[in-house]
Amino acid sequence: MSTELAEETRLDSHVRAPWRGARLWLLSWPAMLLSCALISALSMIGLGVGILLVPPILIAMRGLLDVYRDWIGQWTGQRIERPYLPGPEFEPGLNGHVKRCMALLSDPASWRDLMWVFADPVVSVFTALLPAFLVLYGVWGLLLGGFAGDLITSYGGNVWYGWIHVTKGYGADTGTRVETVLLGVAFIALGHLTGPKLLAVYGRWGRLLLGPTERSRLALRVQHLTETRTDAVDTSAAELRRIERDLHDGAQARLVAMGMSLGAIEHLLDRDPEKARLLLAQTRESSAKALHELRDLVRGIHPPVLADRGLGDAVRALALDHPLRPEVQVDLSGRPDAPVESAAYFAVSEILTNAAKHSGADRVWIDMRHDAGMLRITVTDDGRGGATLGGGTGLRGIERRIGTFDGVLALTSPPGGQTIVTLELPCALSSPKISHS
């Protein structure tokens, strides 16, 4: 269900539905023009010109049908995914144009789009457009009962309104005029009453033809898994490089220095015990620092509290060390799988780091819950807003991290307002209920 639908009252939906249906019907006319242009371009493929014309027309048609998908999703709650198969990378030259044209024409969604633009002007008349027609016909009845009927009959004309014959003598017949007005009101009421239902029928029709087939859904799924697998491999490689760098520059360097200090102490024990004692103190201090760095490194790989206590307690521990001291609400009926827990933990950690660095916030709230097979985490701050996925804040990296698990990230951050980051990861939970507040 879209946000727009969720915010509407029942009365609003009945009032708006006829005009939404009319807008959808009007959209079918530019779609038909594009379909005529496409047929003309297809007829010229044999001449070679069509190979250049078909792709831009098909792409323009897809853009227009995306508007259909967007409006149907907003107004009927029927969310329609883009069904198009991934195409090849464009190569300059004739061969590239041929490959591009053939890839678009071999996509079943292209022919389903063509079926849609030919059938929709008729289907929409009896579904999306019908409520608006009833309302307008009702308004025409009110006009006939008011003054239009007198104008028509005064010039010798006559029309039928439903079963009422508007002809000579109509103006003097008060009963017929009242009947015309009442019939007009009935048509207006019928149009508004049936609007949402007929719009819902139209939404199901749109989902039938404009949505993905099983083949395209599988192809899109393969493409998504390929991209997320590549991201996961790149992330893992970057993480390994970071661990190697931290070990080499931190703990390893300290351990080497400690070995050299112990060798020097061994030679100084008999000749200069005081200096040997001083070096021992420095070596003990270096060992403590090396241990601290190793603990930080381990915490960055997989925090012990996450493994021992679960995601809720790990995020609470993270909040205790955060300068803004976030308020954490956790309502989980168990624990996700370890990889999902780890991805969620580090995503929250990165979001909190962003909030401290960039938001200018005074307070942060974290809400974690599991519902309908989905782990949902919302992080809200009262900062200055204006955050974007491409703003260099690391949110794109978080999106790639959770994308490995089919997770999604949603960002709401109007300038001057709250920033709300929502993570959703599909997963199952196990073990006893963990609930904190």
Side-chain angles (χ1 to χ4, degrees):
M1 187 69 67
S2 71
T3 304
E4 184 176 341
L5 281 179
E7 292 176 350
E8 279 185 351
T9 64
R10 187 179 181 86
L11 178 61
D12 287 337
S13 66
H14 282 282
V15 170
R16 296 175 181 177
W19 316 118
R20 290 170 172 172
R23 287 173 67 183
L24 286 164
W25 176 76
L26 288 173
L27 200 62
S28 66
W29 292 99
M32 283 193 66
L33 291 176
L34 281 174
S35 68
C36 293
L38 177 61
I39 291 174
S40 300
L42 288 172
S43 67
M44 292 187 283
I45 283 184
L47 301 175
V49 180
I51 292 173
L52 300 177
L53 295 178
V54 166
I57 295 173
L58 274 176
I59 291 169
M61 184 182 292
R62 290 180 176 188
L64 183 63
L65 296 187
D66 283 340
V67 178
Y68 270 107
R69 295 183 185 96
D70 184 45
W71 286 2
I72 289 172
Q74 289 181 36
W75 297 339
T76 72
Q78 294 281 347
R79 182 174 175 272
I80 305 176
E81 301 173 26
R82 292 189 93 240
Y84 307 114
L85 298 175
E89 291 290 333
F90 179 70
E91 303 172 5
L94 180 60
N95 191 44
H97 286 287
V98 171
K99 284 184 178 180
R100 185 187 187 197
C101 182
M102 292 301 104
L104 288 169
L105 291 178
S106 63
D107 188 344
S110 298
W111 300 103
R112 288 161 62 86
D113 288 351
L114 195 58
M115 289 173 56
W116 167 272
V117 296
F118 279 124
D120 183 64
V122 177
V123 175
S124 60
V125 165
F126 296 100
T127 53
L129 181 64
L130 185 57
F133 174 78
L134 291 172
V135 171
L136 293 175
Y137 192 59
V139 171
W140 172 235
L142 298 181
L143 294 176
L144 285 174
F147 64 88
D150 294 334
L151 290 176
I152 291 171
T153 56
S154 66
Y155 288 101
N158 66 89
V159 294
W160 283 92
Y161 185 71
W163 58 82
I164 301 169
H165 194 192
V166 180
T167 186
K168 187 176 181 181
Y170 173 80
D173 190 346
T174 304
T176 305
R177 293 170 73 98
V178 171
E179 187 179 3
T180 304
V181 170
L182 291 176
L183 185 58
V185 171
F187 276 121
I188 292 173
L190 183 62
H192 285 296
L193 287 173
T194 59
K197 293 287 186 185
L198 288 172
L199 205 57
V201 172
Y202 184 81
R204 288 192 287 273
W205 151 251
R207 190 169 188 172
L208 178 67
L209 273 189
L210 296 181
T213 62
E214 193 61 29
R215 177 191 169 190
S216 59
R217 185 177 283 110
L218 288 173
L220 293 169
R221 175 71 174 157
V222 168
Q223 181 189 33
H224 174 71
L225 290 175
T226 301
E227 291 173 353
T228 54
R229 182 189 62 187
T230 302
D231 288 339
V233 170
D234 292 343
T235 301
S236 297
E239 191 71 9
L240 284 173
R241 288 193 298 270
R242 182 188 68 81
I243 293 169
E244 290 172 354
R245 185 179 63 252
D246 290 348
L247 282 172
H248 182 271
D249 297 342
Q252 179 178 315
R254 291 193 183 278
L255 291 173
V256 170
M258 285 169 57
M260 295 172 64
S261 296
L262 289 172
I265 291 167
E266 186 179 3
H267 289 90
L268 290 171
L269 277 175
D270 295 328
R271 291 187 293 111
D272 193 346
E274 287 300 322
K275 193 169 183 180
R277 190 176 293 109
L278 181 61
L279 284 174
L280 276 173
Q282 293 175 353
T283 303
R284 184 173 62 250
E285 185 180 347
S286 294
S287 70
K289 290 180 179 179
L291 181 60
H292 180 72
E293 289 174 356
L294 286 171
R295 284 175 176 167
D296 287 344
L297 186 62
V298 170
R299 193 178 295 114
I301 298 171
H302 195 79
V305 67
L306 180 61
D308 297 340
R309 301 291 301 276
L311 182 60
D313 282 341
V315 171
R316 287 177 63 84
L318 196 64
L320 288 174
D321 292 333
H322 195 270
L324 299 178
R325 293 299 178 93
E327 297 179 22
V328 182
Q329 296 282 341
V330 180
D331 186 6
L332 301 178
S333 60
R335 292 184 60 173
D337 292 337
V340 176
E341 267 194 336
S342 180
Y345 172 84
F346 286 110
V348 172
S349 176
E350 181 70 21
I351 293 169
L352 291 178
T353 301
N354 291 342
K357 287 182 178 179
H358 308 293
S359 71
D362 296 317
R363 300 183 66 188
V364 178
W365 299 267
I366 303 172
D367 182 79
M368 302 173 57
R369 59 189 67 250
H370 187 269
D371 182 48
M374 194 75 67
L375 174 63
R376 185 173 289 106
I377 304 173
T378 304
V379 183
T380 306
D381 69 59
D382 62 352
R384 66 177 68 94
T388 62
L389 287 175
T393 58
L395 292 176
R396 186 66 71 186
I398 296 171
E399 188 177 43
R400 288 196 298 269
R401 181 192 287 269
I402 65 174
T404 308
F405 304 94
D406 279 349
V408 295
L409 181 149
L411 173 67
T412 302
S413 185
Q418 289 185 331
T419 294
I420 304 173
V421 183
T422 303
L423 310 175
E424 291 188 347
L425 293 96
C427 65
L429 301 185
S430 61
S431 84
K433 182 180 177 85
I434 303 171
S435 184
H436 302 288
S437 64

